[in-house]
Amino acid sequence: MERGVMRLLRRDGPEHGGARLPEGFPGRWLSGISLATAPVLLLAGELLKAPFHFYFPDQIAAHGDRPGRLFWAYSLWFLGLLMLWPAFVALAARIARSRPWLGRAVGALTIVGLLVNSFYEGVNYLAFRLSEVSGEALATHLIEEIYPRFSIAYALTWTDNLGWLLLAVGLLLTRTVGVVRFLCILPMAGHASGILKGFTVGGVVLDVLLCVAFVSLAVETARDNENR
């Protein structure tokens, strides 16, 4: 079965479409490291949230019971988000070579999506620190007050979802990936984002699919470096 999966990914690769990541910033090595590590970090962060319920009151309560575990869960997830930017920049540039407007849209939306998610991670950090200093009740009340209030970040949450959608479509149209990896990346458009979002089975499945697509692209990028 493992050999069958590898053969399928090889047929799905850029060697069949003539697609390579472009030279220049952020460079092939940084792009490859980003592709290889970001989805793994996202998956690890999500798995560490696994025993606890999805919504914020349960996440705050879980932090009170298992502060170390929740610290690493959210830290690894945030690090995974940070590590995505070189991959997004490189893939957007690849798309822009033949489809300039689509590549620019992918670059803009994916990076804005990362910034929006970084805002949410800041709120998460504040909630957990407030829980430690002033108690879970006050931290929960703070998030209850924040949720219904307008924020520019809330208004831009859709950029994350649309960015993943256009990224998958752009990579397929430019033959950077085939149908298999397109179908691995596309579902990330439905991944939940926001304040104190916990574990879901669906979220883990999406992270695993992203690992399949991005890590295999990282391997191809590394091989391309060696052959140059």
Side-chain angles (χ1 to χ4, degrees):
M1 180 177 178
E2 182 178 351
R3 291 181 180 177
V5 170
M6 292 307 298
R7 284 197 298 270
L8 184 62
L9 288 176
R10 282 196 293 270
R11 289 198 297 270
D12 196 64
E15 63 269 23
H16 293 275
R20 288 182 175 180
L21 294 182
E23 297 289 354
F25 183 79
R28 295 180 187 275
W29 280 114
L30 183 55
S31 302
I33 292 170
S34 171
L35 288 163
T37 59
V40 175
L41 289 168
L42 293 175
L43 176 61
E46 190 138 28
L47 286 173
L48 283 174
K49 302 175 187 178
F52 312 112
H53 293 153
F54 180 73
Y55 293 107
F56 72 87
D58 301 297
Q59 294 294 298
I60 293 173
H63 181 267
D65 295 332
R66 303 285 296 276
R69 186 182 184 113
L70 268 291
F71 168 81
W72 283 111
Y74 280 86
S75 295
L76 290 174
W77 177 264
F78 182 46
L79 187 57
L81 292 177
L82 292 180
M83 288 300 298
L84 275 174
W85 74 261
F88 282 161
V89 171
L91 294 174
R94 168 67 191 94
I95 295 167
R97 286 202 309 193
S98 57
R99 298 177 182 268
W101 286 104
L102 181 56
R104 291 166 191 161
V106 168
L109 289 170
T110 53
I111 295 302
V112 170
L114 289 180
L115 294 173
V116 170
N117 279 306
S118 296
F119 169 83
Y120 293 140
E121 292 305 313
V123 176
N124 297 344
Y125 179 84
L126 174 63
F128 287 149
R129 298 294 79 76
L130 184 62
S131 174
E132 292 173 356
V133 173
S134 302
E136 294 175 17
L138 184 58
T140 302
H141 179 68
L142 171 67
I143 302 303
E144 287 173 345
E145 289 294 316
I146 288 175
Y147 254 103
R149 295 182 183 273
F150 175 78
S151 167
I152 295 296
Y154 291 174
L156 293 173
T157 298
W158 59 272
T159 58
D160 179 51
N161 308 98
L162 184 57
W164 281 110
L165 172 63
L166 293 183
L167 175 65
V169 171
L171 293 176
L172 181 66
L173 291 177
T174 57
R175 301 177 68 191
T176 305
V177 301
V179 174
V180 174
R181 279 185 280 198
F182 164 75
L183 293 175
C184 289
I185 298 169
L186 180 64
M188 282 297 292
H191 199 291
S193 60
I195 297 172
L196 291 174
K197 293 294 189 286
F199 166 87
T200 66
V201 174
V204 169
V205 171
L206 299 187
D207 294 338
V208 170
L209 291 175
L210 186 65
C211 285
V212 172
F214 272 22
V215 173
S216 60
L217 279 172
V219 171
E220 290 168 0
T221 300
R223 287 175 178 169
D224 187 46
N225 279 326
E226 292 173 357
N227 294 332
R228 295 181 69 83

